[in-house]
Amino acid sequence: MTTQSNLGAQDFTTLIITELEDRVLVRLDRPETRNAIDATMLQELHAVCADLEATPRILILTGTPADPETGTKAFFASGADIAQLLERRRDDALAGINSSLFERIAKLPMPVIAALDGFALGGGGELAYAADFRIGTANLRMGNPETGLGILAAAGATWRLRELVGEPLAKEMLLAGRTLTGSECLAAGLITELVESEGLLDAAHALADRIVRQDPLAVRLTKAVFHAPREAHPLIDTLAQGILFESPAKFERMQQFLDRKNNP
């Protein structure tokens, strides 16, 4: 079932948008550059975030699938657009152009799922790290080659990677340019599921289906509490629980549970 939102009225040139009632599928679409993240794509992803902040839904991010007819391989995002990156100077770096977007994606009210096939390198990797879930294929290649270009991975990798895979592997990726295969990503916990390329979106939608079976408000508050700083706990847990204890969904869902238990 489709739904109306502000996204449908916008003319995107670097993204392909598919809207459903409870989720939005966003396919990065700059195949001529292997989906290098340029200024236009950043602007359009900000527009997606604005819509999902106003109308919370699950976000599924994916890239360009393989094309057997042309022999084109799949890719999520090969990184930032180097031609544009070359022209950026100190003030551009201080503005946090990429990091501000990825942080906004990470803080979206509902979960974000990254469905990854092929290259997810540099800024493409950092975009994926900002998701709540990552599903990949055997063809996935994730890494951060920024130091080889004379810069650092400044859009989240230096701290998100350590949280996701631990310090030793994160340092190997960031300081020695190691790129992980799909199976290595799974072993490291960087992705939660390894699937065939043909079933990648089906797996992402199946995960989204499991999420939407939960209470939306409980999901939103759990995500917010999960990402709160350590010093905010346990106070923030207690306050969020207080909100949920008064929600109509809590009474309805618990009563349904008791009814099923008492009437097997």
Side-chain angles (χ1 to χ4, degrees), residues 14-251:
T14 70
L15 307 175
I16 298 175
I17 308 290
T18 304
E19 293 188 84
L20 301 174
E21 183 178 17
D22 51 24
R23 71 199 68 172
V24 174
L25 172 65
V26 173
R27 187 185 297 278
L28 308 183
D29 187 40
R30 294 189 71 218
E32 70 282 358
T33 65
R34 293 186 174 180
N35 292 339
I37 301 171
D38 70 347
T40 301
M41 184 179 287
L42 290 170
Q43 181 181 13
E44 292 182 355
L45 285 170
H46 271 296
V48 171
C49 288
D51 188 87
L52 293 176
E53 288 160 354
T55 309
R57 286 169 287 170
I58 295 167
L59 171 61
I60 299 175
L61 286 169
T62 194
T64 302
D67 187 345
E69 292 186 2
T70 63
T72 303
K73 295 183 178 180
F75 41 86
F76 177 66
S78 58
D81 191 305
I82 301 299
Q84 292 189 5
L85 203 59
L86 179 63
E87 300 302 320
R88 292 183 186 175
R89 305 301 294 269
R90 178 190 59 197
D91 289 348
D92 298 307
L94 294 177
I97 296 172
N98 286 13
S99 61
S100 60
L101 170 66
F102 299 165
E103 184 68 4
R104 190 176 186 183
I105 289 173
K107 290 182 176 178
L108 285 173
M110 291 294 284
V112 178
I113 301 168
L116 308 167
D117 196 7
F119 292 115
L121 300 173
E126 291 180 301
L127 173 57
Y129 306 153
D132 297 289
F133 303 95
R134 284 161 297 280
I135 298 172
T137 72
N139 298 319
L140 174 62
R141 297 294 183 269
M142 295 193 79
N144 288 93
E146 282 87 347
T147 52
L149 296 171
I151 58 174
L152 64 86
T158 56
W159 54 278
R160 284 199 176 101
L161 259 184
R162 179 169 55 188
E163 294 177 351
L164 291 169
V165 303
E167 184 173 324
L169 182 54
K171 281 185 174 178
E172 192 172 359
M173 295 172 69
L174 293 167
L175 305 180
R178 179 177 174 182
T179 297
L180 303 184
T181 65
S183 59
E184 288 172 333
C185 288
L186 181 65
L190 192 51
I191 62 175
T192 57
E193 191 175 357
L194 191 69
V195 301
E196 297 294 331
S197 296
E198 296 78 8
L200 180 60
L201 283 184
D202 287 340
H205 281 296
L207 175 55
D209 289 341
R210 297 200 298 272
I211 295 170
V212 299
R213 287 197 289 268
Q214 316 307 310
D215 173 50
L217 180 59
V219 170
R220 291 179 60 180
L221 289 179
T222 300
K223 176 177 175 176
V225 170
F226 185 93
H227 289 291
R230 175 62 183 86
E231 57 270 20
H233 301 280
L235 177 60
I236 190 171
D237 306 67
T238 304
L239 293 175
Q241 191 75 298
I243 294 171
L244 291 172
F245 270 19
E246 297 295 331
S247 70
K250 174 249 187 178
F251 293 99

